Amino acid sequence: MTPGRFGIYGGCYAPEILLSPLEDLCLSYAAFREDEQAMDELSLLLSRYAGRETPLYRCRNLGKETGVSICLKREDLLHGGAHKINNTLGQALLAEKSGKKRLIAETGAGQHGVATAMAGAVLGLQVEVFMGSLDMQRQAQNVARMELLGATVTPVSTGSGTLSDAVDEALRNWAATAQDSHYLIGSCVGPHPFPEIVRDFQSVIGRELSIQSVSQHGRLPDAVVACVGGGSNAIGTFSPLINDSVRLVGAEAGGVGSDPGSHGASLCSGTPGILHGAFTSVLQDDEGQISFTHSISAGLDYPGVGPEHAFLRDAGRVEYMTVSDSEAIAAFRLLSRTEGIIPALESAHAVAAALRLADDMESGSMIAVTLSGRGDKDLATVLEAGL
């Protein structure tokens, strides 16, 4: 496979002004991966600052009636409450080793912005986070957390005021400040080498899951499920398991229907196109204009997806399904009541997909779900939905 390409997907479709920074990033990341001292430093940050390794918890009640075991990979227990810290610590350390003094980031649900602010604070780097104005209203608590951590949160009011518009603004800012700034992209999207960098930093999820499953249960799960917006937690979970006999399933935002603008299912309903510097599966109209999206989860309404996911879909290695807003809310409430764990709405989509799978699997089967974040940030949204 050509570097930066996943079959026909991926690549680098960036403005000319960004080509030199992206080439520099490729060289910096290649050196970073070979730097044993830097890898040791990252490993210490992940264990002693972020709280790795996270548990693989076998649910006592969820799925009991079907005879199927459901295990949760507890990324919600990481510092900051989400898997995002795996990637932000890695990229922030990469930026520091590359001589950068400032981090630029975008965020939807706010989890990536908080994780970037944390990484910037601990490594002494300035942080500016771009966030859609609608997402700032939905995730006001995370905006306050970012500012408390010393980050500047810049509202983006163009377009729908959500993640896609924040990415546009972050890319524009990076083009003007690349000399001393690193764009700490939050998901496995964007031009090469970002999809590979984010996948590599998040693959700690799948490596731990594999080792823990064999250690605790004597085997790998029959199926592994993760939610997919941009797709970082999912690709981090799936990539170490690609060559194993494990069913891999991604859960996308089915929103409130199948009409354009009512969901965020860029793999189940998208078509090939270019978004934010990569050729991938995109929600767009017949003229190539990016569609508006909807999800009750602020982290799943991105109109594209990481290009490696599009490749894995076409190759038939990973299945992708949609989960509606109401199904996610039901799973949010069910996991809270049955296991005492309040999941992020993003993760609730994966839990709902796992419950759907469990109904059709043989008794004695085992499903592992990546619980990518905790749900205290989503309580107001759930209460407002009244579902």
Side-chain angles (χ1 to χ4, degrees), residues 71 73 75 205 209 224-227 233 237 347 350 368-372:
C71 299
K73 182 59 176 161
E75 295 298 290
I205 303 171
L209 190 159
V224 173
V225 184
C227 64
N233 92 89
T237 302
S347 308
V369 180
T370 296
L371 206 68
S372 56

Side-chain angles (χ1 to χ4, degrees), residues 88-127:
T88 60
L89 283 176
Q91 286 202 52
L93 190 60
L94 168 63
E96 184 201 48
K97 300 298 183 188
S98 305
K100 306 295 185 183
K101 305 296 184 187
R102 176 173 176 263
L103 301 176
I104 302 164
E106 86 301 318
T107 193
Q111 291 171 317
H112 172 60
V114 170
T116 302
M118 287 175 173
V122 75
L123 291 172
L125 300 169
Q126 181 186 351
V127 176

Side-chain angles (χ1 to χ4, degrees), residues 328-338 341 343 348 382-383 385-387:
I329 291 284
F332 180 96
R333 294 186 183 282
L334 181 63
L335 189 67
S336 301
R337 285 199 308 271
T338 58
I341 298 171
V382 173
L383 293 174
L387 298 172

